[in-house]
Amino acid sequence: MNAEPGLSVVVPAYDEALRLPRTLDAMRVHLDAAGEAYEVIVVDDGSGDATGEEAERAARSWPELSVIRLAENRGKGAAAVRAGMLVARGTHRAFSDADLSTPLEELSRLRAELTGDCHVAIASRDLPGSNIEVHQSRLRELSGKTYNRLLQLLLLPGIYDSQCGLKVFTAEAAVALFTPLRTERFGFDAEVLVRARRGGWDVAEVPVRWRHAEASRVSAHRDAPRMLLDLLRLRFGRAGR
């Protein structure tokens, strides 16, 4: 096995066969140019299309890419991202959405924050300096902002955007935060950040460029109620403890 890479990038993917090849091409160009040892881990979350096959095709000509295929779709959080984070070997371990709504070029700014007591850095669309190039629908934006206001009020004061799909962790934090992760779907980010705060680690929030990608896997109608229930479970239950 090669020496531990400086950076691991986990890409959770569900029914991303059409988008994934372009995403992986863009990631490879960027990461190769950086001149740092790295690995990319695609986690196929029980897709019903050819996501796994496309990832494995790319891996045949890209030694730094590996693929995990989950037997069934259980959700982005305690299944896909957790699986990737816990096999990753990097000193820094990031996860990025397969649509690259936050360009990977923003990752270096997040990594620069991982010093001292700061073991987690998250991209943010809701800070001064953030650049939203393509907005979501009004309903999606309102749903997201409402969720984050509730999250600030109940659990995470000072965190303005918990849901942006680019985050990076030290290796120590990745193991500590993802090993006990319970939230399976899109509310998992909140659990990870709550665990980080309760563990005494600082969380840096960094304004980034972001553009909404069509065919997003998040549904305001389907996922918002689940995320609200997960938030209440974090606040009043045992999750995150």
Side-chain angles (χ1 to χ4, degrees), residues 92 110-121 169-173 196 199-204:
H92 289 169
L110 273 65
R111 294 178 71 191
E113 300 290 334
L114 298 181
T115 60
D117 290 332
C118 182
H119 285 247
V120 181
F169 307 79
T170 63
E172 178 185 2
W201 287 324
D202 294 337
V203 176

Side-chain angles (χ1 to χ4, degrees), residues 189-205:
D189 302 78
E191 181 181 338
V192 168
L193 298 179
V194 166
R195 288 185 181 279
R197 283 268 183 91
R198 289 174 178 168
W201 287 324
D202 294 337
V203 176
E205 191 172 5

Side-chain angles (χ1 to χ4, degrees), residues 179-192:
T179 297
L181 183 65
R182 299 178 185 179
T183 305
E184 291 194 338
R185 298 194 179 272
F186 291 100
F188 82 96
D189 302 78
E191 181 181 338
V192 168

Side-chain angles (χ1 to χ4, degrees), residues 86-238:
L86 295 183
V87 301
R89 299 179 295 121
T91 304
H92 289 169
R93 303 178 187 183
F95 69 83
S96 169
D97 285 344
D99 59 19
L100 287 182
S101 291
T102 307
L104 207 60
E105 288 78 5
E106 300 292 308
L107 183 56
S108 61
R109 299 177 57 231
L110 273 65
R111 294 178 71 191
E113 300 290 334
L114 298 181
T115 60
D117 290 332
C118 182
H119 285 247
V120 181
I122 66 174
S124 178
R125 299 161 291 186
D126 202 25
L127 288 177
S130 301
N131 179 12
I132 309 301
E133 296 176 344
V134 177
H135 283 263
Q136 303 172 86
S137 69
R138 290 185 179 180
L139 175 61
R140 285 279 300 278
E141 285 200 352
L142 177 61
S143 176
K145 288 181 181 296
T146 300
Y147 173 81
N148 275 291
R149 296 299 181 268
L150 288 171
L151 190 62
Q152 288 182 61
L153 178 65
L154 295 175
L155 287 163
L156 289 170
I159 297 295
Y160 291 89
D161 183 7
S162 65
Q163 299 305 118
C164 194
L166 182 66
K167 294 179 173 65
V168 62
F169 307 79
T170 63
E172 178 185 2
V175 172
L177 300 178
F178 284 91
T179 297
L181 183 65
R182 299 178 185 179
T183 305
E184 291 194 338
R185 298 194 179 272
F186 291 100
F188 82 96
D189 302 78
E191 181 181 338
V192 168
L193 298 179
V194 166
R195 288 185 181 279
R197 283 268 183 91
R198 289 174 178 168
W201 287 324
D202 294 337
V203 176
E205 191 172 5
V206 180
V208 296
R209 279 191 301 130
W210 188 87
R211 60 184 296 122
H212 173 61
E214 293 301 326
S216 169
R217 301 302 173 212
V218 183
S219 165
H221 298 287
R222 181 190 66 238
D223 295 305
R226 291 176 177 170
M227 292 169 67
L228 179 59
L229 287 173
D230 287 336
L231 187 156
L232 294 174
R233 181 170 57 86
L234 281 170
R235 177 62 180 85
F236 299 108
R238 295 183 59 83

